[in-house]
């Protein structure tokens, strides 16, 4: 059985925390440039009066632990150590459904063909391990001008656009 998608890869070094501004950003506010704490450190520090405003969610972390702290956060960075690990999509969706309006950054093994789906669930910035061609990124976002379901991005589904 392949457990790679269910837990961290044994012996793998986790990606470094990315405190640099995202390489692709779809927000109008200023980028948040401050240290990013791993979830365990954030929770420990905030329990003792800590002052982190950015947290990193690694695969296996339960993003719901952040829900009582959303008002203090400006950035949640969600790690994608492998492109095929989809847990980060659920984390972003949970945050947006809970009302989090801050930046949600996808960091790590983020591929251009994932960007549209990531935007739909609530990601608004991206820090991929490998640079993405801006022309290809723009074409990816323009490829499907209509959506078929409601999602965190607030786009109206095609059925809602029909005139009866």
């Amino acid at each position: 059985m392949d457990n790679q998608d269910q837990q961290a890869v044994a012996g793998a070094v986790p990606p470094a925390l990315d405190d640099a501004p995202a390489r692709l950003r779809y927000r109008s506010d200023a980028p948040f440039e401050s240290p990013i704490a791993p979830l365990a450190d954030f929770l420990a520090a905030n329990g003792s009066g800590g002052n982190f405003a950015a947290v990193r969610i690694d695969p296996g972390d339960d993003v719901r632990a952040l829900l009582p702290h959303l008002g203090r956060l400006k950035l949640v960075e969600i790690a994608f150590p492998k492109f095929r690990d989809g847990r980060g999509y659920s984390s972003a969706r949970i945050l947006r459904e809970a009302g989090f309006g801050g930046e949600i950054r996808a960091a790590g093994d983020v591929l251009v063909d994932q960007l549209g789906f990531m935007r739909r669930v609530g990601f608004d910035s991206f820090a991929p391990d490998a640079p993405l061609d801006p022309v290809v990124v723009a074409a990816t976002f323009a490829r499907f001008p209509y959506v078929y379901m409601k999602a965190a991005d607030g786009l109206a589904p095609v059925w809602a656009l029909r005139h009866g």
Side-chain angles (χ1 to χ4, degrees), residues 21-36:
R23 295 183 191 119
L24 297 170
R25 193 163 187 276
Y26 301 92
R27 294 182 61 88
S28 60
D29 57 346
F32 183 73
E33 300 180 35
S34 188
I36 301 170

Side-chain angles (χ1 to χ4, degrees), residues 7-107:
Q7 53 192 294
V9 178
V13 177
L17 298 177
D18 188 357
D19 290 343
R23 295 183 191 119
L24 297 170
R25 193 163 187 276
Y26 301 92
R27 294 182 61 88
S28 60
D29 57 346
F32 183 73
E33 300 180 35
S34 188
I36 301 170
L39 179 62
D41 294 351
F42 174 83
L43 294 174
N46 277 294
S48 62
N51 198 17
F52 289 110
V55 65
R56 179 181 176 108
I57 301 296
D58 286 309
D61 287 347
D62 187 350
V63 75
R64 292 172 293 188
L66 290 178
L67 297 183
H69 308 283
L70 293 183
R72 291 188 257 177
L73 290 171
K74 296 188 182 294
L75 167 68
V76 176
E77 180 177 273
I78 299 176
F80 284 86
K82 297 278 186 194
F83 75 89
R84 70 183 191 164
D85 188 339
R87 292 175 284 184
Y89 290 84
S90 298
S91 294
R93 179 72 186 247
I94 288 167
L95 290 170
R96 290 296 186 222
E97 286 181 350
F100 181 61
E103 183 174 341
I104 301 179
R105 177 187 301 164

Side-chain angles (χ1 to χ4, degrees), residues 79-148:
F80 284 86
K82 297 278 186 194
F83 75 89
R84 70 183 191 164
D85 188 339
R87 292 175 284 184
Y89 290 84
S90 298
S91 294
R93 179 72 186 247
I94 288 167
L95 290 170
R96 290 296 186 222
E97 286 181 350
F100 181 61
E103 183 174 341
I104 301 179
R105 177 187 301 164
D109 195 14
V110 175
L111 306 179
V112 72
D113 60 337
Q114 296 173 304
L115 296 180
F117 301 110
M118 289 179 161
R119 291 279 292 143
R120 300 248 36 234
V121 298
F123 287 98
D124 50 17
S125 68
F126 305 92
D129 288 340
L132 301 176
D133 182 336
V135 173
V136 175
V137 170
T140 298
F141 285 135
R143 184 166 294 125
F144 300 107
Y146 300 104
V147 297
Y148 294 96

